[in-house]
Amino acid sequence: AMTLGGVDPRLHNVSPMVFAKNTHMNGFFGVHLRAVYLREGGGLSAQTTLDDMSSRMHRLEISEDQLNSGKVIVDSGTTDTYMTSRIAASFKQTWKQITGKDYSHSGMKLTQEELESLPTIIIVIQGFDGPDVGDEPFGEPNDVPGWAGEALSPSFPKDVVLSIPASHYMEYDPEKESYVARFYTEEGSGSVLGANAMMGHDVYFDIPRGRVGFAESDCDYTKLLETEGTSISVAPISNTVSTKTEVVPEEEVVAEEEEQVEVIDEQPTLKDEDSYGESESSSFENPAPNDEDNASYELFNNKKPQGESSTSNYSDLADQAKDKAAEIIDDMKHECSSIECRGVAGFLIFSALVIVIAAIRKAASRRRLLRQYQEAELEISDLALNSDSDSDDGMDGSGYTDEPPMPPQLT
């Protein structure tokens, strides 16, 4: 289910919404990872106890800096999850230690019971450290599902825990009747938490506050409509209202709305421009946009200092083209994960390069021929000019002439 304009707390039937910090304020939503675990025995929920830490949880041996090398983004437009290659060795070693099998992306024949017993991937994400908004959950971090608590993050108990069970990262292939792992550990730079990491969650991208909210949910919006119909007993919250809403009788809601209308009618009218300006400035200030805000809306930076050469402009455009090409290739790498898809993409790129190189060579050859033709014309013109000048100086006129020789006279 997708909710526009806020959060629908009725979907949070498994756990409340907890918030991670958005580390990139423009472009993709970025997060900072604290740790990655494999939980033996599977399981859907992210809630972890101290007993789990001693018996079921296996932390990957990788530093926090290595885990966050490059950007780590949350992208619903990417189907699978791609992690930095720096966790590959530890992940595969821990996986084999738990399951007794090698981790690969080849098909696996599994029963439903075997699928559910595969390790659950647990990712600990830095929590939102800004001021409270009012929609945070009540309770101690150890008791709230979705918060790390003292078990997973003693120093930061309100870090966010994201669980990815095997039923989400193992994709069933009906043609081969096998499961294929869609959690990749081969990225050269950066990581992407894709759509299969968000499955089983209501995810809230809170742009103005720089937060990403996660709430475990069955996401069964059809069942919600069947139980409540089209009427909403608990109104969905907006960006500023607390999630801890109460069911209020309709009569009280109508009475409150009438009181609000009366208050609005009693407000004094503004008579002149001065009073209007004072009232507006006291209630709301619209800050002037700074250079950083404007920079994000400029596709090409046209504000160059005067006197800068056109060569630097071409250089900047070339750099921007290279960056855009790298971004396209990176996106294609994420979306095109199979060997066959990447082979076809590589062939198409190679074919395009061959066509471009052939066009450049053809254009250069035509330009070379045109230059040779122009040089030949110049040589002919020079010969004609030299011939005319020799005739003017009293020579015998045996030089070059455009007129054909006269035939000999017969006597």
Side-chain angles (χ1 to χ4, degrees):
M2 179 175 64
T3 306
L4 300 178
V7 175
D8 190 343
R10 300 173 301 163
L11 292 172
H12 307 165
N13 52 358
V14 179
S15 73
M17 179 162 283
V18 293
F19 295 93
K21 180 180 180 180
N22 176 22
T23 57
H24 302 128
M25 293 308 293
N26 21 35
F28 289 101
F29 275 80
V31 293
H32 181 85
L33 306 185
R34 301 278 196 196
V36 177
Y37 294 82
L38 290 183
R39 184 170 64 196
E40 188 173 351
L44 296 176
S45 177
Q47 191 167 19
T48 304
T49 64
L50 292 174
D51 292 337
D52 292 335
M53 294 300 298
S54 60
S55 59
R56 303 174 59 197
M57 301 294 288
H58 301 264
R59 179 167 181 167
L60 301 188
E61 297 297 332
I62 179 174
S63 67
E64 194 169 328
D65 291 337
Q66 291 178 323
L67 193 59
N68 292 277
S69 62
K71 294 189 298 184
V72 181
I73 65 173
V74 181
D75 182 22
S76 59
T78 301
T79 306
D80 304 324
T81 294
Y82 301 84
M83 299 295 292
T84 173
S85 59
R86 302 190 180 190
I87 76 167
S90 180
F91 181 89
K92 294 178 180 179
Q93 179 181 358
T94 306
W95 173 277
K96 187 171 184 178
Q97 177 185 344
I98 296 173
T99 64
K101 302 177 182 178
D102 292 328
Y103 182 82
S104 67
H105 301 290
S106 57
M108 299 175 61
K109 300 285 186 178
L110 298 171
T111 64
Q112 185 65 28
E113 183 179 357
E114 291 173 335
L115 175 67
E116 294 175 354
S117 65
L118 289 177
T120 296
I121 301 170
I122 301 293
I123 300 177
V124 183
I125 307 172
Q126 178 185 358
F128 179 68
D129 54 3
D132 291 343
V133 175
D135 52 2
E136 297 81 7
F138 291 114
E140 293 295 324
N142 292 335
D143 301 328
V144 176
W147 271 345
E150 296 179 358
L152 289 173
S153 184
S155 302
F156 306 97
K158 289 189 177 182
D159 280 347
V160 174
V161 182
L162 184 65
S163 66
I164 313 176
S167 57
H168 295 173
Y169 67 82
M170 298 292 291
E171 182 182 32
Y172 182 69
D173 186 349
E175 295 182 357
K176 298 181 180 179
E177 297 183 348
S178 60
Y179 289 88
V180 180
R182 297 302 186 189
F183 184 89
Y184 297 90
T185 59
E186 291 87 14
E187 289 302 295
S189 176
S191 302
V192 181
L193 302 179
N196 63 353
M198 303 182 198
M199 291 176 63
H201 294 83
D202 183 26
V203 183
Y204 175 30
F205 293 95
D206 189 357
I207 298 175
R209 295 180 183 85
R211 307 182 302 173
V212 184
F214 297 92
E216 293 181 353
S217 171
D218 59 11
C219 301
D220 193 348
Y221 199 73
T222 302
K223 181 180 178 181
L224 187 64
L225 292 178
E226 290 176 352
T227 56
E228 298 197 11
T230 56
S231 62
I232 301 176
S233 60
V234 181
I237 64 170
S238 65
N239 291 347
T240 57
V241 180
S242 172
T243 56
K244 305 162 188 66
T245 55
E246 298 180 357
V247 178
V248 181
E250 294 182 0
E251 296 178 357
E252 296 182 9
V253 174
V254 173
E256 290 180 359
E257 291 179 353
E258 292 178 354
E259 291 177 0
Q260 292 178 359
V261 172
E262 293 176 0
V263 172
I264 293 173
D265 293 339
E266 293 175 359
Q267 290 181 353
T269 57
L270 302 176
K271 297 181 180 181
D272 53 20
E273 296 180 358
D274 295 338
S275 61
Y276 176 76
E278 293 175 0
S279 174
E280 185 179 11
S281 61
S282 62
S283 60
F284 177 79
E285 291 184 0
N286 188 12
N290 53 28
D291 294 338
E292 294 180 357
D293 295 334
N294 293 332
S296 61
Y297 294 96
E298 295 176 5
L299 180 60
F300 295 103
N301 188 7
N302 295 322
K303 297 180 179 179
K304 297 293 183 181
Q306 293 182 356
E308 188 174 2
S309 65
S310 59
T311 303
S312 60
N313 292 335
Y314 290 130
S315 177
D316 292 339
L317 289 176
D319 293 339
Q320 291 172 2
K322 290 179 182 178
D323 295 339
K324 191 65 178 177
E327 182 180 349
I328 293 173
I329 292 174
D330 188 59
D331 290 342
M332 185 176 63
K333 179 175 61 176
H334 290 156
E335 295 295 339
C336 191
S337 56
S338 65
I339 297 177
E340 294 82 1
C341 180
R342 292 189 177 186
V344 172
F347 174 76
L348 292 176
I349 293 173
F350 177 76
S351 301
L353 289 176
V354 170
I355 294 172
V356 171
I357 293 173
I360 293 174
R361 290 174 61 89
K362 184 176 181 180
S365 177
R366 291 183 62 184
R367 189 171 182 178
R368 183 170 57 253
L369 290 174
L370 180 61
R371 185 179 301 171
Q372 292 176 352
Y373 177 75
Q374 291 174 344
E375 290 176 353
E377 283 189 335
L378 289 175
E379 290 180 359
I380 294 173
S381 299
D382 291 340
L383 288 173
L385 290 174
N386 291 335
S387 175
D388 291 342
S389 61
D390 291 342
S391 299
D392 294 338
D393 293 338
M395 299 296 290
D396 57 358
S398 62
Y400 175 83
T401 178
D402 289 335
E403 298 180 357
M406 296 296 294
Q409 297 291 333
L410 296 177
T411 58

mmCIF file of all heavy atoms in Angstrom, residues 175-201:
data_model
loop_
_atom_site.group_PDB
_atom_site.id
_atom_site.type_symbol
_atom_site.label_atom_id
_atom_site.label_comp_id
_atom_site.label_asym_id
_atom_site.label_seq_id
_atom_site.Cartn_x
_atom_site.Cartn_y
_atom_site.Cartn_z
ATOM 1 N N GLU A 175 9.588 -21.266 -13.298
ATOM 2 C CA GLU A 175 10.039 -22.087 -14.428
ATOM 3 C C GLU A 175 11.032 -23.154 -13.975
ATOM 4 O O GLU A 175 10.978 -24.298 -14.426
ATOM 5 C CB GLU A 175 10.658 -21.196 -15.502
ATOM 6 C CG GLU A 175 9.666 -20.235 -16.153
ATOM 7 C CD GLU A 175 10.318 -19.408 -17.240
ATOM 8 O OE1 GLU A 175 11.551 -19.557 -17.431
ATOM 9 O OE2 GLU A 175 9.602 -18.633 -17.909
ATOM 10 N N LYS A 176 11.950 -22.754 -13.093
ATOM 11 C CA LYS A 176 12.949 -23.706 -12.603
ATOM 12 C C LYS A 176 12.541 -24.367 -11.294
ATOM 13 O O LYS A 176 13.253 -25.248 -10.796
ATOM 14 C CB LYS A 176 14.292 -22.998 -12.432
ATOM 15 C CG LYS A 176 14.854 -22.429 -13.725
ATOM 16 C CD LYS A 176 16.202 -21.753 -13.478
ATOM 17 C CE LYS A 176 16.768 -21.177 -14.773
ATOM 18 N NZ LYS A 176 18.074 -20.500 -14.551
ATOM 19 N N GLU A 177 11.415 -23.885 -10.712
ATOM 20 C CA GLU A 177 10.917 -24.413 -9.443
ATOM 21 C C GLU A 177 11.995 -24.366 -8.378
ATOM 22 O O GLU A 177 12.238 -25.332 -7.647
ATOM 23 C CB GLU A 177 10.389 -25.834 -9.620
ATOM 24 C CG GLU A 177 9.192 -25.930 -10.550
ATOM 25 C CD GLU A 177 8.646 -27.337 -10.656
ATOM 26 O OE1 GLU A 177 9.346 -28.265 -10.182
ATOM 27 O OE2 GLU A 177 7.552 -27.516 -11.201
ATOM 28 N N SER A 178 12.656 -23.224 -8.289
ATOM 29 C CA SER A 178 13.734 -23.045 -7.312
ATOM 30 C C SER A 178 13.743 -21.594 -6.829
ATOM 31 O O SER A 178 13.111 -20.719 -7.428
ATOM 32 C CB SER A 178 15.087 -23.409 -7.924
ATOM 33 O OG SER A 178 15.359 -22.575 -9.044
ATOM 34 N N TYR A 179 14.470 -21.363 -5.741
ATOM 35 C CA TYR A 179 14.599 -20.030 -5.160
ATOM 36 C C TYR A 179 15.971 -19.453 -5.503
ATOM 37 O O TYR A 179 16.991 -20.166 -5.459
ATOM 38 C CB TYR A 179 14.423 -20.079 -3.643
ATOM 39 C CG TYR A 179 13.005 -20.353 -3.194
ATOM 40 C CD1 TYR A 179 12.550 -21.661 -3.025
ATOM 41 C CD2 TYR A 179 12.130 -19.305 -2.934
ATOM 42 C CE1 TYR A 179 11.246 -21.916 -2.613
ATOM 43 C CE2 TYR A 179 10.824 -19.550 -2.519
ATOM 44 C CZ TYR A 179 10.391 -20.856 -2.360
ATOM 45 O OH TYR A 179 9.107 -21.098 -1.964
ATOM 46 N N VAL A 180 15.987 -18.153 -5.822
ATOM 47 C CA VAL A 180 17.232 -17.458 -6.189
ATOM 48 C C VAL A 180 17.447 -16.317 -5.211
ATOM 49 O O VAL A 180 16.536 -15.520 -4.953
ATOM 50 C CB VAL A 180 17.161 -16.914 -7.631
ATOM 51 C CG1 VAL A 180 18.459 -16.200 -7.994
ATOM 52 C CG2 VAL A 180 16.868 -18.032 -8.617
ATOM 53 N N ALA A 181 18.659 -16.214 -4.654
ATOM 54 C CA ALA A 181 18.985 -15.163 -3.690
ATOM 55 C C ALA A 181 19.097 -13.815 -4.390
ATOM 56 O O ALA A 181 19.818 -13.692 -5.385
ATOM 57 C CB ALA A 181 20.284 -15.493 -2.969
ATOM 58 N N ARG A 182 18.392 -12.810 -3.887
ATOM 59 C CA ARG A 182 18.406 -11.459 -4.447
ATOM 60 C C ARG A 182 19.008 -10.461 -3.470
ATOM 61 O O ARG A 182 18.667 -9.290 -3.475
ATOM 62 C CB ARG A 182 16.985 -11.036 -4.823
ATOM 63 C CG ARG A 182 16.346 -11.892 -5.904
ATOM 64 C CD ARG A 182 17.155 -11.897 -7.181
ATOM 65 N NE ARG A 182 16.481 -12.603 -8.268
ATOM 66 C CZ ARG A 182 17.043 -12.897 -9.412
ATOM 67 N NH1 ARG A 182 18.316 -12.558 -9.623
ATOM 68 N NH2 ARG A 182 16.372 -13.542 -10.354
ATOM 69 N N PHE A 183 19.900 -10.922 -2.620
ATOM 70 C CA PHE A 183 20.683 -10.059 -1.734
ATOM 71 C C PHE A 183 22.132 -10.167 -2.196
ATOM 72 O O PHE A 183 22.779 -11.194 -2.018
ATOM 73 C CB PHE A 183 20.534 -10.495 -0.268
ATOM 74 C CG PHE A 183 21.224 -9.601 0.727
ATOM 75 C CD1 PHE A 183 20.571 -8.511 1.268
ATOM 76 C CD2 PHE A 183 22.525 -9.853 1.123
ATOM 77 C CE1 PHE A 183 21.195 -7.681 2.198
ATOM 78 C CE2 PHE A 183 23.158 -9.037 2.039
ATOM 79 C CZ PHE A 183 22.494 -7.949 2.575
ATOM 80 N N TYR A 184 22.626 -9.106 -2.835
ATOM 81 C CA TYR A 184 23.926 -9.160 -3.506
ATOM 82 C C TYR A 184 25.006 -8.484 -2.658
ATOM 83 O O TYR A 184 24.751 -7.484 -1.972
ATOM 84 C CB TYR A 184 23.840 -8.486 -4.872
ATOM 85 C CG TYR A 184 22.889 -9.168 -5.823
ATOM 86 C CD1 TYR A 184 21.545 -8.795 -5.883
ATOM 87 C CD2 TYR A 184 23.321 -10.197 -6.650
ATOM 88 C CE1 TYR A 184 20.660 -9.433 -6.748
ATOM 89 C CE2 TYR A 184 22.448 -10.836 -7.518
ATOM 90 C CZ TYR A 184 21.114 -10.450 -7.560
ATOM 91 O OH TYR A 184 20.248 -11.081 -8.418
ATOM 92 N N THR A 185 26.210 -9.012 -2.737
ATOM 93 C CA THR A 185 27.344 -8.475 -1.978
ATOM 94 C C THR A 185 28.531 -8.224 -2.902
ATOM 95 O O THR A 185 29.682 -8.473 -2.532
ATOM 96 C CB THR A 185 27.757 -9.461 -0.865
ATOM 97 O OG1 THR A 185 28.115 -10.719 -1.471
ATOM 98 C CG2 THR A 185 26.631 -9.682 0.123
ATOM 99 N N GLU A 186 28.244 -7.695 -4.106
ATOM 100 C CA GLU A 186 29.312 -7.515 -5.098
ATOM 101 C C GLU A 186 29.505 -6.069 -5.531
ATOM 102 O O GLU A 186 30.209 -5.818 -6.509
ATOM 103 C CB GLU A 186 29.016 -8.362 -6.342
ATOM 104 C CG GLU A 186 29.116 -9.866 -6.137
ATOM 105 C CD GLU A 186 27.828 -10.473 -5.643
ATOM 106 O OE1 GLU A 186 26.786 -9.782 -5.720
ATOM 107 O OE2 GLU A 186 27.863 -11.618 -5.163
ATOM 108 N N GLU A 187 28.879 -5.096 -4.847
ATOM 109 C CA GLU A 187 28.984 -3.704 -5.281
ATOM 110 C C GLU A 187 30.390 -3.155 -5.031
ATOM 111 O O GLU A 187 30.941 -3.312 -3.930
ATOM 112 C CB GLU A 187 27.959 -2.831 -4.563
ATOM 113 C CG GLU A 187 26.532 -3.091 -5.006
ATOM 114 C CD GLU A 187 26.357 -2.869 -6.494
ATOM 115 O OE1 GLU A 187 26.501 -1.719 -6.940
ATOM 116 O OE2 GLU A 187 26.097 -3.849 -7.216
ATOM 117 N N GLY A 188 30.944 -2.487 -6.042
ATOM 118 C CA GLY A 188 32.275 -1.913 -5.892
ATOM 119 C C GLY A 188 32.287 -0.704 -4.989
ATOM 120 O O GLY A 188 33.259 -0.452 -4.276
ATOM 121 N N SER A 189 31.214 0.084 -5.005
ATOM 122 C CA SER A 189 31.142 1.288 -4.181
ATOM 123 C C SER A 189 29.699 1.548 -3.805
ATOM 124 O O SER A 189 28.825 1.610 -4.670
ATOM 125 C CB SER A 189 31.711 2.493 -4.932
ATOM 126 O OG SER A 189 31.566 3.687 -4.188
ATOM 127 N N GLY A 190 29.429 1.688 -2.511
ATOM 128 C CA GLY A 190 28.098 2.019 -2.048
ATOM 129 C C GLY A 190 27.190 0.812 -1.925
ATOM 130 O O GLY A 190 27.526 -0.306 -2.348
ATOM 131 N N SER A 191 26.016 1.043 -1.322
ATOM 132 C CA SER A 191 25.021 -0.005 -1.123
ATOM 133 C C SER A 191 23.637 0.567 -1.385
ATOM 134 O O SER A 191 23.421 1.770 -1.238
ATOM 135 C CB SER A 191 25.095 -0.564 0.306
ATOM 136 O OG SER A 191 26.384 -1.085 0.592
ATOM 137 N N VAL A 192 22.708 -0.319 -1.751
ATOM 138 C CA VAL A 192 21.327 0.078 -2.038
ATOM 139 C C VAL A 192 20.397 -0.872 -1.299
ATOM 140 O O VAL A 192 20.431 -2.085 -1.522
ATOM 141 C CB VAL A 192 21.017 0.031 -3.546
ATOM 142 C CG1 VAL A 192 19.577 0.469 -3.795
ATOM 143 C CG2 VAL A 192 21.979 0.899 -4.330
ATOM 144 N N LEU A 193 19.569 -0.304 -0.402
ATOM 145 C CA LEU A 193 18.502 -1.069 0.229
ATOM 146 C C LEU A 193 17.285 -0.947 -0.674
ATOM 147 O O LEU A 193 16.628 0.086 -0.712
ATOM 148 C CB LEU A 193 18.204 -0.534 1.634
ATOM 149 C CG LEU A 193 19.376 -0.532 2.621
ATOM 150 C CD1 LEU A 193 18.941 0.041 3.963
ATOM 151 C CD2 LEU A 193 19.942 -1.933 2.792
ATOM 152 N N GLY A 194 17.013 -2.000 -1.426
ATOM 153 C CA GLY A 194 15.982 -1.944 -2.446
ATOM 154 C C GLY A 194 14.616 -2.363 -1.940
ATOM 155 O O GLY A 194 14.360 -2.461 -0.729
ATOM 156 N N ALA A 195 13.717 -2.639 -2.895
ATOM 157 C CA ALA A 195 12.323 -2.916 -2.560
ATOM 158 C C ALA A 195 12.163 -4.183 -1.732
ATOM 159 O O ALA A 195 11.283 -4.246 -0.869
ATOM 160 C CB ALA A 195 11.506 -3.025 -3.851
ATOM 161 N N ASN A 196 13.004 -5.205 -1.961
ATOM 162 C CA ASN A 196 12.831 -6.427 -1.177
ATOM 163 C C ASN A 196 13.247 -6.240 0.276
ATOM 164 O O ASN A 196 12.858 -7.022 1.142
ATOM 165 C CB ASN A 196 13.580 -7.607 -1.817
ATOM 166 C CG ASN A 196 15.080 -7.404 -1.867
ATOM 167 O OD1 ASN A 196 15.584 -6.331 -1.547
ATOM 168 N ND2 ASN A 196 15.807 -8.433 -2.293
ATOM 169 N N ALA A 197 14.025 -5.185 0.590
ATOM 170 C CA ALA A 197 14.332 -4.861 1.988
ATOM 171 C C ALA A 197 13.176 -4.121 2.643
ATOM 172 O O ALA A 197 13.071 -4.095 3.877
ATOM 173 C CB ALA A 197 15.602 -4.018 2.073
ATOM 174 N N MET A 198 12.296 -3.509 1.841
ATOM 175 C CA MET A 198 11.155 -2.759 2.379
ATOM 176 C C MET A 198 9.901 -3.617 2.491
ATOM 177 O O MET A 198 8.907 -3.172 3.077
ATOM 178 C CB MET A 198 10.852 -1.559 1.473
ATOM 179 C CG MET A 198 12.005 -0.620 1.272
ATOM 180 S SD MET A 198 11.539 0.783 0.230
ATOM 181 C CE MET A 198 13.148 1.361 -0.268
ATOM 182 N N MET A 199 9.910 -4.804 1.930
ATOM 183 C CA MET A 199 8.737 -5.670 2.001
ATOM 184 C C MET A 199 8.372 -5.924 3.457
ATOM 185 O O MET A 199 9.231 -6.094 4.323
ATOM 186 C CB MET A 199 9.008 -6.992 1.284
ATOM 187 C CG MET A 199 9.145 -6.881 -0.221
ATOM 188 S SD MET A 199 9.580 -8.459 -0.992
ATOM 189 C CE MET A 199 8.140 -9.444 -0.571
ATOM 190 N N GLY A 200 7.065 -5.944 3.725
ATOM 191 C CA GLY A 200 6.616 -6.160 5.091
ATOM 192 C C GLY A 200 6.751 -4.939 5.971
ATOM 193 O O GLY A 200 6.681 -5.056 7.198
ATOM 194 N N HIS A 201 6.945 -3.763 5.358
ATOM 195 C CA HIS A 201 7.092 -2.520 6.115
ATOM 196 C C HIS A 201 6.250 -1.420 5.472
ATOM 197 O O HIS A 201 6.059 -1.408 4.249
ATOM 198 C CB HIS A 201 8.550 -2.048 6.162
ATOM 199 C CG HIS A 201 9.467 -2.966 6.914
ATOM 200 N ND1 HIS A 201 10.039 -4.081 6.339
ATOM 201 C CD2 HIS A 201 9.918 -2.917 8.202
ATOM 202 C CE1 HIS A 201 10.802 -4.693 7.230
ATOM 203 N NE2 HIS A 201 10.738 -4.013 8.367
#
